[in-house]
C-alpha cells in the first residue's frame, strides 16, 4: 500500500497475526508513513512464531503474534541493519488466545533465533 501511494483493499487470509488483518490502511496513515520513510517487510507464519518465542524466552515479554511482527522481521534478516545502527521494534498487544500462545511457545521449545 505504501508503494501504491493510496489505500487499496487487502484480500483477507487466515494468519495467526489477526491484529494485522485490516481490510485496508487509511489514507492518513499511508501519508504519515510515506513522510516518515516507513519501510515494510513481509514475514511468514513461522517467522512470527519465532519472534514471539524470542520475545517470551529472551525478553520475558508476552505479546500476541501481530505484536511480534517487527521483531520477527529483524530476526529473519528482512530489515537491513548496519553495525552501529540504533533499532527500535514496537512490541504490543496481549490479546492472544491462551491455547494459541501455548502451542506457539511449546513448539520448538528452547529454540530461539540468534
Amino acid at each position: 500500500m505504501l508503494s501504491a501511494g493510496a489505500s487499496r483493499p487487502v484480500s483477507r487470509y487466515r494468519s495467526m497475526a489477526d491484529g494485522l488483518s485490516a481490510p485496508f490502511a487509511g489514507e492518513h496513515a499511508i501519508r504519515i508513513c510515506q513522510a516518515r520513510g516507513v519501510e515494510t517487510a513481509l514475514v511468514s507464519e513461522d517467522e512470527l512464531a519465532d519472534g514471539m518465542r524470542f520475545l517470551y524466552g529472551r525478553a520475558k515479554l508476552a505479546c500476541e503474534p501481530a505484536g511480534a511482527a517487527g521483531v520477527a522481521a529483524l530476526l529473519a534478516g528482512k530489515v537491513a541493519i548496519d553495525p552501529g545502527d540504533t533499532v527500535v521494534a514496537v512490541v504490543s498487544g496481549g490479546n492472544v488466545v491462551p491455547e494459541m500462545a501455548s502451542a506457539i511457545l511449546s513448539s520448538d521449545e528452547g529454540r530461539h533465533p540468534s
Side-chain angles (χ1 to χ4, degrees), residues 45-55 75 108 111 113:
E45 297 290 294
D46 288 340
E47 290 163 342
L48 285 168
D50 287 345
M52 201 171 151
R53 280 191 295 272
F54 177 86
L55 287 166
L75 291 172
D108 294 324
R111 184 181 134 243

Side-chain angles (χ1 to χ4, degrees), residues 17-109:
D18 57 353
L20 299 177
S21 297
F24 63 91
E27 297 288 342
H28 188 62
I30 290 171
R31 282 194 303 278
I32 291 171
C33 289
Q34 288 173 324
R36 300 280 188 236
V38 171
E39 297 178 32
T40 58
L42 183 63
V43 293
S44 70
E45 297 290 294
D46 288 340
E47 290 163 342
L48 285 168
D50 287 345
M52 201 171 151
R53 280 191 295 272
F54 177 86
L55 287 166
Y56 189 81
R58 294 270 182 96
K60 306 302 182 217
L61 293 174
C63 67
E64 62 188 69
V71 171
L74 289 165
L75 291 172
K78 295 190 173 181
V79 178
I81 301 172
D82 293 323
D85 281 354
T86 299
V87 178
V88 174
V90 176
V91 178
S92 64
N95 189 20
V96 61
V97 177
E99 294 81 11
M100 177 187 288
S102 177
I104 292 168
L105 295 173
S106 65
S107 64
D108 294 324
E109 193 169 348

